[in-house]
Amino acid sequence: MVDLESEVPPLPPRYRFRDLLLGDQGWQNDDRVQVEFYMNENTFKERLKLFFIKNQRSSLRIRLFNFSLKLLSCFLYIIRVLLENPSQGNEWSHIFWVNRSLPLWGLQVSVALISLFETILLGYLSYKGNIWEQILRIPFILEIINAVPFIISIFWPSLRNLFVPVFLNCWLAKHALENMINDLHRAIQRTQSAMFNQVLILISTLLCLIFTCICGIQHLERIGKKLNLFDSLYFCIVTFSTVGFGDVTPETWSSKLFVVAMICVALVVLPIQFEQLAYLWMERQKSGGNYSRHRAQTEKHVVLCVSSLKIDLLMDFLNEFYAHPRLQDYYVVILCPTEMDVQVRRVLQIPMWSQRVIYLQGSALKDQDLLRAKMDDAEACFILSSRCEVDRTSSDHQTILRAWAVKDFAPNCPLYVQILKPENKFHIKFADHVVCEEEFKYAMLALNCICPATSTLITLLVHTSRGQEGQQSPEQWQKMYGRCSGNEVYHIVLEESTFFAEYEGKSFTYASFHAHKKFGVCLIGIRREDNKNILLNPGPRCIMNATDICFYINITKEENSAFKNHDHQKKSNVSRSFYHGPSRLPVHSIIASMGTVAIDLQDTSCRSASGPTLSLPSEGNKEVRRPSIAPVLEVADTSSIQTCDLLSDQSEDETTPDEEMSSNVEYAKGYPPYSPYIGSSPTFCHLLHEKVPFCCLRLDKSCQHNCYEDAKAYGFKNKLIIVAAETAGNGLYNFIVPLRAYYRPKKELNPVILLLDNPLDDLLRCGVTFAANMVVVDKESTMSAEEDYMADAKTIVNVQTLFRLFSSLSIITELTHPANMRFMQFRAKDCYSLALSKLEKKERERGSNLAFMFRLPFAAGRVFSISMLDTLLYQSFVKDYMISITRLLLGLDTTPGSGFLCSMKITEDDLWIRTYARLYQKLCSSTGDVPIGIYRTESQKLTTSECREIASQSQISISVEEWEDTKDTKEQGHHRSNHRNSTSSDQSDHPLLRRKSMQWARRLSRKGPKHSDEMNDHQSTLSYILINPSPDTRLELNDVVYLIRPDPLAYLPNGEPSRKNSICNTTGQDSREETQL
């Protein structure tokens, strides 16, 4: 180091510390030259040029002064004409000489001198080397004609009465006006409107033509009819309007020649001006113009940013947005880079939309276009992705850039963003509300395999409707289905509510049951004042507080409801207990990789062969049923609540010894240690202790670990779920996790097989013949087509082929366009489907937003379109909690203490409950579950020919054994009827009809495939959903009830550790901290 420092040269003398303090004294001896810049602007010519031309404000003043001079000269000409006495005679001298008073002459000479001096000065300042270019300009020539004769008359007094066509100064005034408008826009730093300039030029040109014609004809007719200015004005208007009365006509040949010249000029000049104006108007119509600043500050508006606007997307947005009463006065500004579609233009011309919707052609990446849309004053900005693009990742990139541009331009504007791929979510985490299409799509497809028609349930909840669909239909199921479809999720503060105020200090299940019994509303969740998280069915231990926000399902919100006069008894001095839930679970993003999950999916089939049990939990001895339903307690009693420790392996305890010998695989519950994408929500689920090699994931190829090559060789105990997709993307994670959630018993887990192509050989190898469900995901490569609605053609035909070959297979399909749902399971001679088609058309004519809801595949949950969930993003503008509630229902988010969506099936042993209200009470008092709807299957009304065919087949197929079963059913029904009479006063009105329906259902279940969705596959049945049905709704056999079950982890003591969660405590502990968002 010493050697290196010694090699550093010393500073020069002028940079020493002394010089820095005392200043450098040797600069005078340096060869330096002082340079002054912009010296050419100090010359007299440059100063004049800067004042008259370059400076916007001074130039604007000069132009305004020049414009005023020209108008003053025209005004003086009119005064001279009005003061002049018409002379007698027809001498030509009257054309060249006029009577001009001395003061008037003095004013005109002064104006001419100033104008000529200014013109010469501006010509000198703008001189660029070609003098003829300055002299031969039309404004300069007109200035010479109007000013030089007056200046000559100063030196030659006899020429003072010489006629000078001063009225031509109107054209110089027009030229000065155009320059003045340009300088005005430059001075105030605003972009000038081409439309405004063109209109101004057209009007000024027309006025100049008329004024020139008036003054010219009046002067030339001094030797003719002696027309005054008013007669000349009348003649010009009649002539230019092509009316031509003929009462006033020119007499002299000079005036006639002048009129012909003016008409020729008008025929040349005016069409050019009108053509330019029409072109600008058409371009303005295409681009949409501007949204005025005054309207933006006085009225409320939202901005919709899309890459391409289709008629279906537009109508879905407008119908859902304006369905809310408080949004009727809002304006919708559409910002789209493409030209307006013909169908969109036709719709926006309807008076209902033309006054509230403004279309602007522009890009969200340009600040100029965002300024046109007044984005900084907007109440919200909706940014939608184009799902019809082949490259969905590229579509997401465009959406991300739009979101960034809007956030940069208007940081305070709320953003509602739709994204397609889940791995792109973290780029827009700053947005207020985000809906990821693939997350919701795969989660709904997964829950459709567990809870039938979950996609239909969610779709109906997020659509705004008044429940008037199907009310004019003759069929009862359509009336019930349509009326219940009007139920939506609303919120209200408990202390401000008529529904729930009386339940302050009581348990959540008590409030939910009694509110449904009394008002018919279904309380599904709450949000504490000190917590932003929404809790769905927090359970009977949750005590309601006055400041809680209650979320409920009802046909309308409480504020729009009317109540009869009655006294509310509010109980006071009630001991309030607090919510003693478990300590907050770690919220983090630790998710299994696709390989680990796939191995878990294959090996879980080795557990149990018994199917899912959806019946009510038994109480005590299964053979003896309790004589009555226990009441729902105001404050939960721990001993009365049937809890199950799902962290323990109860499913292993229920397995038989043979199954334990055949399965040596051990499982644990915990958080998956790997995340497929940033931003995925943590989910507690079933995991393997060890990761299986990747080679074992291939079902159709054997490896060194196993020799199986088809699904049958694996010997799966449970039925399969086959997923037919184009690629195994990151969104598939949201399909697998709900099927492996911790609250599902291991013996009910279905093996999941991913099918990336679906030829018949692969389908048979995958075990399609003994699969419970087959999920057909819409392929990205088929989402775009030359004709929009043909994007689903390949998917529909492939599903129809599967439907024909495997009629008993439960197929769940995703389509791009909801209108194509009518082609699912298509039968050309099905009269019932034709009747439903007519009903759909009638509902659409009545203005329904859910006209497609009566299609049997949609009602049964066999088909859905992800575009139907676009309304979820639109509805979140009014209900900011809807996205959170939907994610909780689908299992995309898990909140400690919040329940989950599941289902139970009504069997013959459960028909004694009879009504939905008694079922509500039974669930709330026993397990703490909250029912929210019913999935019902019933026989379809067939045509006469079809009924005969089915009747003939049923007569042949009924056997002696079935008649014996019928007798047993009658005896059991009779015994059950007597038992009901002895235990409850609510008796069945039609026991014979009930026994016949049970007999029919039993025969049908004996003939069809025995799985949870057996009735939907039968061609003579139909299924539909009843959301929040009335309390007196009768339960029927095979009804599937949707439940929100409380979180089982909430019932565990705080100090009790999990018995089988070693993976969660070891492997996932470090990764939680690393991937936490």
Side-chain angles (χ1 to χ4, degrees), residues 671-716:
Y671 294 97
Y674 302 106
S675 172
Y677 57 89
I678 299 177
S680 56
S681 300
T683 303
F684 204 60
C685 58
H686 295 281
L687 296 176
L688 291 176
H689 283 284
E690 295 181 0
K691 184 177 180 180
V692 181
F694 179 77
C695 59
C696 296
L697 295 179
R698 290 296 300 266
L699 180 69
D700 56 342
K701 289 185 179 181
S702 60
C703 62
Q704 58 182 352
H705 304 93
N706 61 65
C707 57
Y708 304 141
E709 294 185 355
D710 54 27
K712 186 177 181 180
Y714 279 86
F716 295 123

Side-chain angles (χ1 to χ4, degrees), residues 48-65:
L48 289 178
K49 192 173 183 179
L50 179 64
F51 181 78
F52 280 92
I53 298 177
K54 291 183 178 181
N55 188 280
Q56 291 94 356
R57 297 186 180 276
S58 59
S59 175
L60 176 62
R61 298 188 187 100
I62 297 299
R63 308 257 187 211
L64 182 60
F65 177 73

Side-chain angles (χ1 to χ4, degrees), residues 579-586 896-897 1047 1049-1050 1052-1055:
Y579 175 59
H580 298 286
S583 59
R584 180 178 176 86
L585 294 178
D1047 185 9
L1049 300 177
L1052 295 179
N1054 293 335

Side-chain angles (χ1 to χ4, degrees), residues 856-869:
L856 295 183
F858 172 77
R862 298 298 175 206
V863 62
F864 84 102
S865 176
I866 193 61
S867 62
M868 295 185 298
L869 277 188

Side-chain angles (χ1 to χ4, degrees), residues 282 587 648 877 1028:
M282 294 176 62
V587 179
S648 63
F877 179 68
N1028 187 28

Side-chain angles (χ1 to χ4, degrees), residues 212-327:
T212 304
C213 187
I214 291 172
C215 296
I217 291 176
Q218 185 274 335
H219 181 73
L220 293 176
E221 283 296 319
R222 295 179 63 187
I223 58 175
K225 289 186 175 182
K226 306 293 188 297
L227 298 177
N228 54 25
L229 290 177
F230 182 77
D231 292 336
S232 300
L233 174 64
Y234 172 75
F235 170 76
C236 292
I237 297 299
V238 170
T239 302
F240 279 101
S241 62
T242 68
V243 177
F245 291 116
D247 52 346
V248 178
T249 56
E251 288 187 355
T252 61
W253 65 269
S254 57
S255 59
K256 291 179 181 180
L257 182 62
F258 181 77
V259 170
V260 171
M262 293 304 299
I263 291 177
C264 293
V265 171
L267 290 178
V268 173
V269 175
L270 292 182
I272 296 176
Q273 300 293 335
F274 277 112
E275 181 184 3
Q276 295 179 358
L277 182 62
Y279 174 77
L280 290 176
W281 176 260
M282 294 176 62
E283 292 298 322
R284 181 187 177 90
Q285 290 296 105
K286 293 179 182 179
S287 62
N290 297 330
Y291 185 71
S292 65
R293 176 67 63 178
H294 174 72
R295 178 184 290 181
Q297 294 176 352
T298 57
E299 304 287 347
K300 295 181 179 180
H301 77 285
V302 297
V303 181
L304 175 64
C305 295
V306 291
S307 58
S308 61
L309 186 62
K310 302 296 182 181
I311 185 63
D312 293 338
L313 186 147
L314 175 64
M315 295 311 300
D316 288 343
F317 179 84
L318 295 180
N319 290 330
E320 183 63 34
F321 185 81
Y322 286 112
H324 302 277
R326 74 181 186 90
L327 302 182

Side-chain angles (χ1 to χ4, degrees), residues 578-637:
F578 296 94
Y579 175 59
H580 298 286
S583 59
R584 180 178 176 86
L585 294 178
V587 179
H588 47 267
S589 299
I590 304 173
I591 301 169
S593 63
M594 303 306 295
T596 303
V597 176
I599 294 300
D600 189 14
L601 299 181
Q602 288 188 1
D603 293 340
T604 50
S605 60
C606 302
R607 303 302 305 162
S608 176
S610 60
T613 303
L614 298 177
S615 60
L616 283 171
S618 60
E619 300 180 3
N621 190 3
K622 296 183 179 179
E623 296 180 356
V624 179
R625 190 175 293 274
R626 294 182 60 180
S628 62
I629 300 177
V632 183
L633 301 180
E634 294 185 4
V635 180
D637 184 8

